[in-house]
Amino acid sequence: MSFTRITTQIRGDAPGHTAELTVFRAGPQDARRKVYLQAALHADEQPGTMALHHLLPMLRDADAEDRLAARFSIVPMASPFGMGQLLFQSHAGRYDFRSGGNFNRGWPDLFAAIGDDIASRLTGSEEDNALLVRSAVKAWIAGQTPATALQRLRLALMAEAHDADIVLDLHCDDEALPHLFVTPDSMERLGALADWMGSAAQLVAEDSGGGSFDEVWPSLWTRLRAAHPGRPIPMGAVAATVEYRGQADVSDDIGRADAQNLFHFFVAEGLIAGDLPPAPPTAPAPTLLAATQMLRVTEPGLLAYRVQLGDKVKKGDVVADLIALDGPDAFLARTPVRAGTSGRVISRNASKYVLPGT
């Protein structure tokens, strides 16, 4: 058995402040493949943590039964500093209070970090090149000198994820149907994940902008393959941001089902030995992220939605009314907010009191 729990102290920026980062590891340490999962990188998003709470005992039992064919690394709370961001009983958790940076933006560009260094050392062996790339990433991480708590936390997470074949970053929206953010190369191998989780949409982009955690890993391999077409370089990592519905969707029933579906996906991928139930329905085909629309209001007001999650709308349909809260028509006037394109509603704003730009 190899199910272990490792807790690391991450030094904070203020005197006397530290945070605990907990990692669970399972599976044979000599297994060729590795899976990395984390939740609550946005600390106010808890559905993923509930799912991992239920997944961990499943992995522990499978490990005890010698059914794991891969190494699993699980971080149920990836932003412990964000968990402490409470103000007047409200939880923030999305931004680093010191720098203002989003916990899921601005992650290092690994291709820029190691691409030049390994270019002359690539060989004619795909296996050797995979080892070379992962060793270079590991060395780059170890060679960094973090100056802030945020940098220390990020390097600790990257060190745990750097050699994973599958990286899943569990998030949620305000109110939403389950969906995926994924790169094109990753989508090719993660279609079964979309099926098992009942994903309503797979939003695909090579670079969604901002440097999110999930794009760090496949981007490295995709860009290396493009830069060295004459060398056999595998797609060494696929990754996705898994959006588990909305912030309020935290319950044992939902979390247990999500964990079971993750477990089934791993079984289907040959990462865990076991039986499978009948195959789930096929998820919708991928959609370019650029083809989606985020509606924004231009005035403050109170939202009154006319659509439910999953509804299909046509361009020009009224998605919501904005009830005026100031001015001569305050509390009487309603301004329609219209869809600028046709499609399916997959998320809504949880807070119905909105300001310009929301």
mmCIF file of all heavy atoms in Angstrom, residues 258-294:
data_model
loop_
_atom_site.group_PDB
_atom_site.id
_atom_site.type_symbol
_atom_site.label_atom_id
_atom_site.label_comp_id
_atom_site.label_asym_id
_atom_site.label_seq_id
_atom_site.Cartn_x
_atom_site.Cartn_y
_atom_site.Cartn_z
ATOM 1 N N ASP A 258 -19.886 12.975 -8.455
ATOM 2 C CA ASP A 258 -18.753 13.505 -9.218
ATOM 3 C C ASP A 258 -17.514 12.637 -9.012
ATOM 4 O O ASP A 258 -16.768 12.371 -9.962
ATOM 5 C CB ASP A 258 -18.467 14.948 -8.810
ATOM 6 C CG ASP A 258 -19.501 15.928 -9.329
ATOM 7 O OD1 ASP A 258 -20.182 15.604 -10.318
ATOM 8 O OD2 ASP A 258 -19.624 17.025 -8.747
ATOM 9 N N ALA A 259 -17.273 12.227 -7.771
ATOM 10 C CA ALA A 259 -16.116 11.379 -7.480
ATOM 11 C C ALA A 259 -16.244 10.031 -8.193
ATOM 12 O O ALA A 259 -15.269 9.520 -8.761
ATOM 13 C CB ALA A 259 -15.982 11.174 -5.976
ATOM 14 N N GLN A 260 -17.444 9.456 -8.180
ATOM 15 C CA GLN A 260 -17.648 8.170 -8.830
ATOM 16 C C GLN A 260 -17.412 8.283 -10.334
ATOM 17 O O GLN A 260 -16.810 7.395 -10.955
ATOM 18 C CB GLN A 260 -19.067 7.662 -8.568
ATOM 19 C CG GLN A 260 -19.291 6.221 -8.990
ATOM 20 C CD GLN A 260 -18.483 5.244 -8.161
ATOM 21 O OE1 GLN A 260 -18.755 5.048 -6.973
ATOM 22 N NE2 GLN A 260 -17.477 4.620 -8.759
ATOM 23 N N ASN A 261 -17.845 9.395 -10.924
ATOM 24 C CA ASN A 261 -17.644 9.590 -12.358
ATOM 25 C C ASN A 261 -16.171 9.808 -12.696
ATOM 26 O O ASN A 261 -15.692 9.330 -13.735
ATOM 27 C CB ASN A 261 -18.494 10.754 -12.852
ATOM 28 C CG ASN A 261 -19.969 10.407 -12.898
ATOM 29 O OD1 ASN A 261 -20.339 9.255 -13.073
ATOM 30 N ND2 ASN A 261 -20.819 11.403 -12.720
ATOM 31 N N LEU A 262 -15.437 10.508 -11.834
ATOM 32 C CA LEU A 262 -13.989 10.619 -12.030
ATOM 33 C C LEU A 262 -13.342 9.242 -11.961
ATOM 34 O O LEU A 262 -12.489 8.888 -12.786
ATOM 35 C CB LEU A 262 -13.376 11.535 -10.970
ATOM 36 C CG LEU A 262 -13.513 13.036 -11.169
ATOM 37 C CD1 LEU A 262 -13.036 13.773 -9.914
ATOM 38 C CD2 LEU A 262 -12.717 13.505 -12.386
ATOM 39 N N PHE A 263 -13.743 8.467 -10.980
ATOM 40 C CA PHE A 263 -13.192 7.119 -10.808
ATOM 41 C C PHE A 263 -13.475 6.265 -12.050
ATOM 42 O O PHE A 263 -12.588 5.550 -12.549
ATOM 43 C CB PHE A 263 -13.798 6.472 -9.557
ATOM 44 C CG PHE A 263 -13.090 5.244 -9.085
ATOM 45 C CD1 PHE A 263 -12.018 5.333 -8.214
ATOM 46 C CD2 PHE A 263 -13.496 3.977 -9.500
ATOM 47 C CE1 PHE A 263 -11.355 4.196 -7.757
ATOM 48 C CE2 PHE A 263 -12.852 2.842 -9.061
ATOM 49 C CZ PHE A 263 -11.771 2.949 -8.192
ATOM 50 N N HIS A 264 -14.692 6.351 -12.578
ATOM 51 C CA HIS A 264 -15.041 5.600 -13.782
ATOM 52 C C HIS A 264 -14.181 6.041 -14.971
ATOM 53 O O HIS A 264 -13.764 5.201 -15.781
ATOM 54 C CB HIS A 264 -16.521 5.789 -14.109
ATOM 55 C CG HIS A 264 -17.439 5.090 -13.174
ATOM 56 N ND1 HIS A 264 -18.744 5.493 -12.945
ATOM 57 C CD2 HIS A 264 -17.246 3.997 -12.364
ATOM 58 C CE1 HIS A 264 -19.306 4.683 -12.057
ATOM 59 N NE2 HIS A 264 -18.419 3.781 -11.695
ATOM 60 N N PHE A 265 -13.945 7.335 -15.070
ATOM 61 C CA PHE A 265 -13.074 7.822 -16.152
ATOM 62 C C PHE A 265 -11.687 7.207 -16.029
ATOM 63 O O PHE A 265 -11.109 6.764 -17.030
ATOM 64 C CB PHE A 265 -12.988 9.346 -16.096
ATOM 65 C CG PHE A 265 -11.879 9.926 -16.926
ATOM 66 C CD1 PHE A 265 -11.893 9.827 -18.314
ATOM 67 C CD2 PHE A 265 -10.797 10.562 -16.316
ATOM 68 C CE1 PHE A 265 -10.858 10.359 -19.085
ATOM 69 C CE2 PHE A 265 -9.763 11.095 -17.082
ATOM 70 C CZ PHE A 265 -9.794 10.987 -18.466
ATOM 71 N N PHE A 266 -11.148 7.150 -14.823
ATOM 72 C CA PHE A 266 -9.814 6.570 -14.635
ATOM 73 C C PHE A 266 -9.808 5.081 -14.957
ATOM 74 O O PHE A 266 -8.833 4.557 -15.517
ATOM 75 C CB PHE A 266 -9.332 6.822 -13.199
ATOM 76 C CG PHE A 266 -9.178 8.272 -12.848
ATOM 77 C CD1 PHE A 266 -9.581 8.755 -11.606
ATOM 78 C CD2 PHE A 266 -8.649 9.172 -13.754
ATOM 79 C CE1 PHE A 266 -9.449 10.091 -11.277
ATOM 80 C CE2 PHE A 266 -8.510 10.513 -13.436
ATOM 81 C CZ PHE A 266 -8.917 10.977 -12.193
ATOM 82 N N VAL A 267 -10.884 4.388 -14.608
ATOM 83 C CA VAL A 267 -10.981 2.972 -14.965
ATOM 84 C C VAL A 267 -11.021 2.819 -16.480
ATOM 85 O O VAL A 267 -10.332 1.970 -17.064
ATOM 86 C CB VAL A 267 -12.230 2.334 -14.316
ATOM 87 C CG1 VAL A 267 -12.442 0.911 -14.843
ATOM 88 C CG2 VAL A 267 -12.089 2.303 -12.793
ATOM 89 N N ALA A 268 -11.822 3.651 -17.143
ATOM 90 C CA ALA A 268 -11.938 3.578 -18.598
ATOM 91 C C ALA A 268 -10.609 3.857 -19.290
ATOM 92 O O ALA A 268 -10.336 3.316 -20.366
ATOM 93 C CB ALA A 268 -12.998 4.566 -19.087
ATOM 94 N N GLU A 269 -9.766 4.679 -18.659
ATOM 95 C CA GLU A 269 -8.460 5.014 -19.221
ATOM 96 C C GLU A 269 -7.389 3.986 -18.874
ATOM 97 O O GLU A 269 -6.228 4.144 -19.253
ATOM 98 C CB GLU A 269 -8.019 6.395 -18.724
ATOM 99 C CG GLU A 269 -8.838 7.551 -19.266
ATOM 100 C CD GLU A 269 -8.678 7.685 -20.768
ATOM 101 O OE1 GLU A 269 -7.546 7.938 -21.241
ATOM 102 O OE2 GLU A 269 -9.693 7.526 -21.477
ATOM 103 N N GLY A 270 -7.754 2.939 -18.140
ATOM 104 C CA GLY A 270 -6.790 1.917 -17.760
ATOM 105 C C GLY A 270 -5.876 2.330 -16.628
ATOM 106 O O GLY A 270 -4.852 1.689 -16.387
ATOM 107 N N LEU A 271 -6.252 3.373 -15.898
ATOM 108 C CA LEU A 271 -5.436 3.866 -14.793
ATOM 109 C C LEU A 271 -5.787 3.184 -13.480
ATOM 110 O O LEU A 271 -5.013 3.221 -12.520
ATOM 111 C CB LEU A 271 -5.608 5.381 -14.654
ATOM 112 C CG LEU A 271 -5.265 6.184 -15.911
ATOM 113 C CD1 LEU A 271 -5.736 7.623 -15.775
ATOM 114 C CD2 LEU A 271 -3.777 6.134 -16.187
ATOM 115 N N ILE A 272 -6.967 2.587 -13.436
ATOM 116 C CA ILE A 272 -7.424 1.813 -12.280
ATOM 117 C C ILE A 272 -8.081 0.551 -12.819
ATOM 118 O O ILE A 272 -8.857 0.603 -13.780
ATOM 119 C CB ILE A 272 -8.437 2.605 -11.427
ATOM 120 C CG1 ILE A 272 -7.835 3.922 -10.936
ATOM 121 C CG2 ILE A 272 -8.906 1.765 -10.234
ATOM 122 C CD1 ILE A 272 -8.826 4.807 -10.184
ATOM 123 N N ALA A 273 -7.785 -0.582 -12.209
ATOM 124 C CA ALA A 273 -8.421 -1.835 -12.606
ATOM 125 C C ALA A 273 -9.797 -1.920 -11.964
ATOM 126 O O ALA A 273 -9.964 -1.630 -10.774
ATOM 127 C CB ALA A 273 -7.564 -3.020 -12.194
ATOM 128 N N GLY A 274 -10.791 -2.309 -12.739
ATOM 129 C CA GLY A 274 -12.131 -2.432 -12.185
ATOM 130 C C GLY A 274 -13.174 -2.540 -13.275
ATOM 131 O O GLY A 274 -12.879 -2.423 -14.466
ATOM 132 N N ASP A 275 -14.406 -2.762 -12.853
ATOM 133 C CA ASP A 275 -15.522 -2.878 -13.777
ATOM 134 C C ASP A 275 -16.174 -1.516 -13.981
ATOM 135 O O ASP A 275 -16.121 -0.636 -13.109
ATOM 136 C CB ASP A 275 -16.558 -3.864 -13.242
ATOM 137 C CG ASP A 275 -15.990 -5.267 -13.092
ATOM 138 O OD1 ASP A 275 -15.154 -5.654 -13.948
ATOM 139 O OD2 ASP A 275 -16.372 -5.962 -12.124
ATOM 140 N N LEU A 276 -16.825 -1.367 -15.125
ATOM 141 C CA LEU A 276 -17.500 -0.129 -15.461
ATOM 142 C C LEU A 276 -18.991 -0.353 -15.630
ATOM 143 O O LEU A 276 -19.422 -1.397 -16.135
ATOM 144 C CB LEU A 276 -16.930 0.453 -16.762
ATOM 145 C CG LEU A 276 -15.560 1.110 -16.692
ATOM 146 C CD1 LEU A 276 -15.071 1.456 -18.096
ATOM 147 C CD2 LEU A 276 -15.612 2.373 -15.834
ATOM 148 N N PRO A 277 -19.801 0.629 -15.244
ATOM 149 C CA PRO A 277 -21.228 0.573 -15.574
ATOM 150 C C PRO A 277 -21.407 0.842 -17.065
ATOM 151 O O PRO A 277 -20.428 1.111 -17.772
ATOM 152 C CB PRO A 277 -21.804 1.706 -14.722
ATOM 153 C CG PRO A 277 -20.691 2.686 -14.601
ATOM 154 C CD PRO A 277 -19.435 1.857 -14.536
ATOM 155 N N PRO A 278 -22.628 0.782 -17.572
ATOM 156 C CA PRO A 278 -22.842 1.129 -18.978
ATOM 157 C C PRO A 278 -22.290 2.519 -19.302
ATOM 158 O O PRO A 278 -22.303 3.420 -18.459
ATOM 159 C CB PRO A 278 -24.368 1.095 -19.116
ATOM 160 C CG PRO A 278 -24.813 0.137 -18.051
ATOM 161 C CD PRO A 278 -23.865 0.332 -16.917
ATOM 162 N N ALA A 279 -21.794 2.671 -20.514
ATOM 163 C CA ALA A 279 -21.184 3.945 -20.920
ATOM 164 C C ALA A 279 -22.193 5.076 -20.810
ATOM 165 O O ALA A 279 -23.378 4.904 -21.111
ATOM 166 C CB ALA A 279 -20.662 3.835 -22.347
ATOM 167 N N PRO A 280 -21.744 6.244 -20.374
ATOM 168 C CA PRO A 280 -22.650 7.390 -20.253
ATOM 169 C C PRO A 280 -22.985 7.966 -21.627
ATOM 170 O O PRO A 280 -22.333 7.629 -22.625
ATOM 171 C CB PRO A 280 -21.824 8.385 -19.430
ATOM 172 C CG PRO A 280 -20.406 8.076 -19.822
ATOM 173 C CD PRO A 280 -20.356 6.584 -20.014
ATOM 174 N N PRO A 281 -23.977 8.851 -21.704
ATOM 175 C CA PRO A 281 -24.264 9.529 -22.972
ATOM 176 C C PRO A 281 -23.054 10.340 -23.437
ATOM 177 O O PRO A 281 -22.260 10.820 -22.627
ATOM 178 C CB PRO A 281 -25.443 10.445 -22.632
ATOM 179 C CG PRO A 281 -26.057 9.851 -21.408
ATOM 180 C CD PRO A 281 -24.927 9.229 -20.648
ATOM 181 N N THR A 282 -22.935 10.482 -24.733
ATOM 182 C CA THR A 282 -21.832 11.261 -25.296
ATOM 183 C C THR A 282 -22.073 12.745 -25.066
ATOM 184 O O THR A 282 -23.162 13.255 -25.333
ATOM 185 C CB THR A 282 -21.693 10.988 -26.805
ATOM 186 O OG1 THR A 282 -21.460 9.594 -26.993
ATOM 187 C CG2 THR A 282 -20.540 11.778 -27.407
ATOM 188 N N ALA A 283 -21.064 13.421 -24.560
ATOM 189 C CA ALA A 283 -21.183 14.857 -24.291
ATOM 190 C C ALA A 283 -21.216 15.639 -25.601
ATOM 191 O O ALA A 283 -20.777 15.145 -26.642
ATOM 192 C CB ALA A 283 -20.000 15.314 -23.428
ATOM 193 N N PRO A 284 -21.710 16.865 -25.572
ATOM 194 C CA PRO A 284 -21.725 17.685 -26.788
ATOM 195 C C PRO A 284 -20.327 17.873 -27.360
ATOM 196 O O PRO A 284 -19.327 17.834 -26.634
ATOM 197 C CB PRO A 284 -22.296 19.019 -26.301
ATOM 198 C CG PRO A 284 -23.098 18.674 -25.091
ATOM 199 C CD PRO A 284 -22.367 17.544 -24.438
ATOM 200 N N ALA A 285 -20.284 18.051 -28.675
ATOM 201 C CA ALA A 285 -19.002 18.276 -29.349
ATOM 202 C C ALA A 285 -18.356 19.559 -28.832
ATOM 203 O O ALA A 285 -19.037 20.473 -28.367
ATOM 204 C CB ALA A 285 -19.221 18.365 -30.855
ATOM 205 N N PRO A 286 -17.031 19.646 -28.904
ATOM 206 C CA PRO A 286 -16.336 20.848 -28.435
ATOM 207 C C PRO A 286 -16.784 22.108 -29.185
ATOM 208 O O PRO A 286 -17.157 22.048 -30.355
ATOM 209 C CB PRO A 286 -14.859 20.537 -28.708
ATOM 210 C CG PRO A 286 -14.792 19.053 -28.798
ATOM 211 C CD PRO A 286 -16.092 18.610 -29.362
ATOM 212 N N THR A 287 -16.732 23.222 -28.477
ATOM 213 C CA THR A 287 -17.052 24.536 -29.032
ATOM 214 C C THR A 287 -15.860 25.446 -28.807
ATOM 215 O O THR A 287 -15.256 25.439 -27.728
ATOM 216 C CB THR A 287 -18.284 25.142 -28.323
ATOM 217 O OG1 THR A 287 -19.396 24.277 -28.491
ATOM 218 C CG2 THR A 287 -18.611 26.509 -28.893
ATOM 219 N N LEU A 288 -15.516 26.232 -29.798
ATOM 220 C CA LEU A 288 -14.445 27.199 -29.601
ATOM 221 C C LEU A 288 -14.828 28.190 -28.510
ATOM 222 O O LEU A 288 -15.943 28.737 -28.511
ATOM 223 C CB LEU A 288 -14.151 27.958 -30.898
ATOM 224 C CG LEU A 288 -13.520 27.151 -32.036
ATOM 225 C CD1 LEU A 288 -13.349 28.043 -33.256
ATOM 226 C CD2 LEU A 288 -12.173 26.589 -31.609
ATOM 227 N N LEU A 289 -13.920 28.425 -27.577
ATOM 228 C CA LEU A 289 -14.178 29.406 -26.529
ATOM 229 C C LEU A 289 -14.511 30.768 -27.136
ATOM 230 O O LEU A 289 -15.364 31.501 -26.621
ATOM 231 C CB LEU A 289 -12.959 29.519 -25.607
ATOM 232 C CG LEU A 289 -13.045 30.547 -24.478
ATOM 233 C CD1 LEU A 289 -14.215 30.247 -23.549
ATOM 234 C CD2 LEU A 289 -11.732 30.590 -23.698
ATOM 235 N N ALA A 290 -13.874 31.081 -28.266
ATOM 236 C CA ALA A 290 -14.117 32.366 -28.923
ATOM 237 C C ALA A 290 -15.540 32.492 -29.452
ATOM 238 O O ALA A 290 -15.991 33.597 -29.758
ATOM 239 C CB ALA A 290 -13.123 32.559 -30.067
ATOM 240 N N ALA A 291 -16.254 31.373 -29.567
ATOM 241 C CA ALA A 291 -17.626 31.414 -30.063
ATOM 242 C C ALA A 291 -18.645 31.646 -28.951
ATOM 243 O O ALA A 291 -19.840 31.729 -29.218
ATOM 244 C CB ALA A 291 -17.953 30.113 -30.795
ATOM 245 N N THR A 292 -18.190 31.734 -27.712
ATOM 246 C CA THR A 292 -19.112 31.967 -26.609
ATOM 247 C C THR A 292 -19.239 33.462 -26.339
ATOM 248 O O THR A 292 -18.382 34.262 -26.711
ATOM 249 C CB THR A 292 -18.622 31.274 -25.324
ATOM 250 O OG1 THR A 292 -17.381 31.861 -24.904
ATOM 251 C CG2 THR A 292 -18.425 29.783 -25.557
ATOM 252 N N GLN A 293 -20.322 33.823 -25.683
ATOM 253 C CA GLN A 293 -20.560 35.232 -25.360
ATOM 254 C C GLN A 293 -20.815 35.394 -23.872
ATOM 255 O O GLN A 293 -21.604 34.653 -23.273
ATOM 256 C CB GLN A 293 -21.772 35.769 -26.127
ATOM 257 C CG GLN A 293 -22.031 37.261 -25.846
ATOM 258 C CD GLN A 293 -23.283 37.765 -26.519
ATOM 259 O OE1 GLN A 293 -24.287 37.074 -26.582
ATOM 260 N NE2 GLN A 293 -23.232 38.971 -27.050
ATOM 261 N N MET A 294 -20.130 36.365 -23.279
ATOM 262 C CA MET A 294 -20.372 36.758 -21.902
ATOM 263 C C MET A 294 -21.154 38.068 -21.926
ATOM 264 O O MET A 294 -20.634 39.098 -22.363
ATOM 265 C CB MET A 294 -19.042 36.951 -21.162
ATOM 266 C CG MET A 294 -19.197 37.338 -19.710
ATOM 267 S SD MET A 294 -19.619 35.953 -18.649
ATOM 268 C CE MET A 294 -18.058 35.080 -18.620
#
